[in-house]
Amino acid sequence: MDFYIPEKNDYPRLLDVWEGSVRATHLFLPEHYIIRLRKLLFEQYLDSVSLFCTRDGELITGFAGVSGGKLQMLFIAADYRGQGLGRQLLAHAIEHFGIRELDVNEQNPKALGFYQKQGFKISGRTAVDGLGQPYPMLRMTLARRG
């Protein structure tokens, strides 16, 4: 699979992919917090990571962001879930960026199960998210293979 490096003019589509994914998987987040996170994603987070995307023609279907050997974000557009895009983005992050860690919301069992199937194990827990809000996070580390 070829991966696309998004440009600033792609950010509105990345935000749409992110929001659709969050609304489908993060049912525990209140509306005001989703709005806050969307603003932070646009104003800070997208520029703080190395981004890469999957596409269907010109349409961005999923994206991931990495920094410092850690997966910081991975989101798939609703119409493209279940097609292996998440697995491909994660494999690319591991192979080309050397990621070995990620954090996942404890209240997002689908994501937790996905990462466990890809070889990640829970290695820690915090009672709050990165903004200090009461959404527990699980640190996951890629288990050694072989």
Side-chain angles (χ1 to χ4, degrees), residues 61-109:
T61 56
F63 72 95
V66 300
S67 73
K70 185 176 178 184
L71 182 72
Q72 301 291 343
M73 55 187 76
L74 190 155
F75 296 97
I76 306 299
D79 292 345
Y80 292 86
R81 292 182 66 188
Q83 298 180 20
L85 298 180
R87 189 174 60 253
Q88 292 171 7
L89 285 164
L90 183 60
H92 185 78
I94 293 167
E95 182 178 343
H96 295 280
F97 292 91
I99 71 115
R100 295 291 178 262
E101 286 187 336
L102 58 90
D103 293 335
V104 64
N105 285 101
E106 184 177 72
Q107 295 158 293
N108 185 351

Side-chain angles (χ1 to χ4, degrees), residues 2-130:
D2 291 329
F3 294 95
Y4 169 74
I5 306 302
E7 299 174 1
K8 289 260 193 203
N9 64 342
D10 293 312
Y11 283 12
R13 175 61 184 161
L14 296 181
L15 290 171
D16 289 345
V17 169
W18 173 86
E19 186 170 342
S21 182
V22 165
R23 289 188 183 282
T25 60
H26 294 65
L27 303 177
F28 53 92
L29 293 178
E31 181 68 19
H32 69 88
Y33 200 58
I34 292 172
I35 292 168
R36 179 180 179 195
L37 290 173
R38 182 180 169 106
K39 184 176 188 220
L40 286 168
L41 187 70
F42 182 72
E43 293 177 353
Q44 295 177 28
Y45 299 159
L46 291 177
D47 288 330
S48 70
V49 296
S50 296
L51 291 166
F52 52 98
C53 305
T54 56
R55 294 193 300 184
D56 184 358
E58 294 297 310
L59 180 67
I60 292 173
T61 56
F63 72 95
V66 300
S67 73
K70 185 176 178 184
L71 182 72
Q72 301 291 343
M73 55 187 76
L74 190 155
F75 296 97
I76 306 299
D79 292 345
Y80 292 86
R81 292 182 66 188
Q83 298 180 20
L85 298 180
R87 189 174 60 253
Q88 292 171 7
L89 285 164
L90 183 60
H92 185 78
I94 293 167
E95 182 178 343
H96 295 280
F97 292 91
I99 71 115
R100 295 291 178 262
E101 286 187 336
L102 58 90
D103 293 335
V104 64
N105 285 101
E106 184 177 72
Q107 295 158 293
N108 185 351
K110 287 184 181 180
L112 176 60
F114 166 76
Y115 292 122
Q116 288 173 323
K117 285 181 185 174
Q118 305 310 310
F120 284 80
K121 305 288 183 204
I122 297 170
S123 59
R125 181 185 186 275
T126 62
V128 297
D129 68 7

